[in-house]
Amino acid sequence: MKVKFISNIRKLRKENKLSQNQLGTEIGYSKNIISLWEIGSLTPCADAIIILSRYFQVSTDYVLKVSDDNSMLHRADDFYVDLSVFNKRLKELRTQKNLSQFQLAKKTNLTKTSINHWENGKCPPNANAIVTLACYFGVTTDYLLGESD
């Protein structure tokens, strides 16, 4: 399944009366990166999605527009992102379905190499991959990214 990345980043930024530059400064990204995310020319990676979710106090599902529920969450002052939970959960979900990395790749139109890299913590997935995997496994992006249990 190929997911076209659509986000609520612009909406959240405007609701909080922030310029792209101000948001970028707050979360450690450039104005240009924020702009590219908002127009859909660049897909944020897992780290950025988690940081945005924590900054705006909403779920990663809401940031990614997978859910319309914008219930306020506790604001995290710590933007350190540890993707080891994602790596473990991806492998657990895959093995629970008795799938090899190759089989999962085939079912999701992702690559075996990418799945291997994500499970082994070699690189973070992007928003499209996160949404694709969460949909395939029937879990929230918050769960997959380790932001909820």
Side-chain angles (χ1 to χ4, degrees):
M1 168 195 341
K2 176 69 174 159
V3 177
K4 181 179 182 328
F5 176 69
I6 301 171
S7 78
N8 277 325
I9 297 171
R10 173 178 282 161
K11 179 180 178 184
L12 287 163
R13 180 179 60 77
K14 290 194 178 258
E15 285 172 355
N16 285 272
K17 297 178 176 45
L18 295 168
S19 68
Q20 290 176 337
N21 193 47
Q22 289 169 317
L23 176 58
T25 300
E26 288 284 320
I27 65 170
Y29 288 88
S30 72
K31 172 192 179 291
N32 293 340
I33 295 294
I34 305 294
S35 175
L36 291 171
W37 289 342
E38 288 184 359
I39 62 174
S41 292
L42 181 66
T43 305
C45 66
D47 304 48
I49 294 162
I50 292 169
I51 289 169
L52 287 161
S53 153
R54 290 177 183 175
Y55 181 80
F56 289 118
Q57 302 172 273
V58 296
S59 69
T60 58
D61 284 332
Y62 185 75
V63 171
L64 295 169
K65 236 180 182 178
V66 176
S67 168
D68 291 331
D69 180 7
N70 67 345
S71 301
M72 296 301 279
L73 303 175
H74 174 56
R75 171 105 182 232
D77 294 325
D78 181 11
F79 290 153
Y80 170 75
V81 176
D82 177 6
L83 288 177
S84 64
V85 175
F86 166 80
N87 306 339
K88 290 176 193 165
R89 286 190 176 165
L90 174 58
K91 187 172 185 173
E92 286 171 2
L93 290 165
R94 179 180 58 77
T95 55
Q96 284 172 3
K97 286 195 174 256
N98 294 318
L99 296 172
S100 67
Q101 290 176 344
F102 177 78
Q103 290 168 319
L104 178 59
K106 194 169 184 178
K107 290 181 180 287
T108 58
N109 290 325
L110 298 167
T111 67
K112 179 195 174 295
T113 302
S114 294
I115 292 168
N116 181 276
H117 284 217
W118 299 329
E119 286 186 5
N120 291 302
K122 293 182 181 176
C123 66
N126 69 21
N128 288 327
I130 294 164
V131 172
T132 298
L133 291 165
C135 288
Y136 177 77
F137 289 117
V139 298
T140 65
T141 59
D142 282 308
Y143 174 80
L144 192 58
L145 292 169
E147 292 293 290
S148 72
D149 291 326

